[in-house]
Amino acid sequence: MRPQIMGVLNVTPDSFSDGGEFAHQEAAIDHAVKLVAAGADLIDVGGETTKPGAARVPAQDEQRRVLPIVRELVGRGIRVSIDTMNASTALAAAEAGASLINDVSGGLADAGMARVAIETDLDFVVMHWRGHSAGMDANTDYADVVREVRDALEMRAAELIITGVNPDRLIVDPGIGFAKTADQSWQLVTHLRELGSIGTRVLVGASRKRFLSMLLPEGAPIKDRDRSTAVVSALAAEAGAWGVRVHDVRGTRAALDFWASLQSSDPA
């Protein structure tokens, strides 16, 4: 089965990938509609950048950015996920019709997030996390990054289940590029299948991450990483991932459709 494609919609003025191109409501909605037309299964709306070194954004500012977008997209029949570390934002987005909570901290940044996940019973993405963006580049010390990320996600999933989160709603994300060097990110990409032993669905978010620049000429534009992202998405599909989170939906959809056709072809 082809993985779900989560189209990225950053409604921030300082996104690493698009530089605030969709910070205004009209532009954001227009872009979301185009992502769906290109093949996105849901749109991941985020109002706080998590690029390396970024400072936190007050929850009120985040909600001012994302909630009108969530309401408008849901009103148009588009499935929406909310990319947030704030429980209050997740709850408000759920009330506005969002169907998934995508928390890069795995519920660690805000102790109230688990309660929101329980009360709303929405799908809940739990990413591997070692701290906020401002200091994450200093937290890349691993003896075995694949084993440690897998074990940490398994432990976090168990903790959430004990608190009452529905295990069928949990989706884990290895956090490629978050407190990971380029080499460590590549190790995770090549060992994605090992995350399947956790027993939850897996989301892979490698789109336009820094580690992909290793394959490009120095100084190449960030959007040049889209082709490499599509290849990683196909590798994620081969590893059994439930979904991929990407900026370039059209390219990824083409790669995944090709991968799916290979799976269904008759070897004879």
Side-chain angles (χ1 to χ4, degrees):
M1 179 180 295
R2 175 182 65 77
Q4 295 281 291
I5 299 175
M6 181 183 289
V8 178
L9 181 60
N10 295 312
V11 291
T12 64
D14 53 354
S15 167
F16 87 94
S17 63
D18 51 47
E21 186 177 351
F22 309 115
H24 297 292
Q25 183 172 337
E26 184 176 342
I29 292 168
D30 180 65
H31 185 60
V33 170
K34 289 178 179 177
L35 290 176
V36 172
D41 297 294
L42 71 163
I43 301 298
D44 192 41
V45 181
E48 178 180 9
T49 183
T50 52
K51 66 182 180 182
R56 294 301 310 276
V57 171
Q60 299 93 320
D61 291 347
E62 179 189 40
Q63 291 167 28
R64 175 178 49 78
R65 295 170 178 175
V66 301
L67 293 180
I69 307 297
V70 173
R71 294 189 187 100
E72 179 65 24
L73 296 181
V74 170
R76 295 186 183 209
I78 295 173
R79 286 179 62 209
V80 173
S81 62
I82 182 66
D83 177 3
T84 183
M85 291 182 279
N86 294 307
S88 60
T89 302
L91 181 59
E95 292 171 345
S99 58
L100 182 150
I101 300 167
N102 180 18
D103 183 351
V104 299
S105 80
L108 293 171
D110 187 333
M113 188 65 84
R115 177 54 53 190
V116 172
I118 294 167
E119 292 177 354
T120 62
D121 196 34
L122 296 184
D123 280 346
F124 183 28
V125 175
V126 176
M127 197 191 81
H128 177 261
W129 191 70
R130 281 190 162 188
H132 290 291
S133 297
M136 69 179 177
D137 280 349
N139 293 320
T140 60
D141 184 22
Y142 300 87
D144 182 336
V145 67
V146 176
R147 177 182 56 79
E148 290 175 50
V149 167
R150 194 206 71 83
D151 289 352
L153 285 172
E154 184 174 46
M155 178 65 71
R156 186 62 188 140
E159 292 170 347
L160 290 166
I161 291 168
I162 289 172
T163 65
V165 174
N166 183 346
D168 293 334
R169 292 298 195 181
L170 287 175
I171 302 166
V172 299
D173 178 341
I176 292 170
F178 286 80
K180 318 288 192 306
T181 64
D183 181 64
Q184 290 163 350
S185 292
W186 279 115
Q187 289 181 55
L188 288 168
V189 167
T190 57
H191 291 85
L192 287 171
R193 190 171 294 278
E194 295 186 28
L195 296 177
S197 63
I198 296 173
T200 67
R201 291 170 287 168
V202 176
L203 174 69
V204 177
S207 187
R208 297 181 179 174
K209 296 290 178 66
R210 288 179 297 175
F211 79 104
L212 296 172
S213 65
M214 294 173 62
L215 305 176
L216 299 170
E218 185 176 355
I222 286 178
K223 291 183 180 180
D224 284 3
R225 302 172 189 176
D226 286 339
R227 294 176 189 170
S228 302
T229 298
V231 173
V232 172
S233 294
L235 292 173
E238 184 67 22
W242 165 83
V244 291
R245 181 180 182 275
V246 300
H247 299 82
D248 175 30
V249 169
R250 189 175 303 280
T252 287
R253 180 61 185 262
L256 292 180
D257 284 348
F258 181 72
W259 170 84
S261 71
L262 291 177
Q263 308 313 302
S264 60
S265 62
D266 185 349

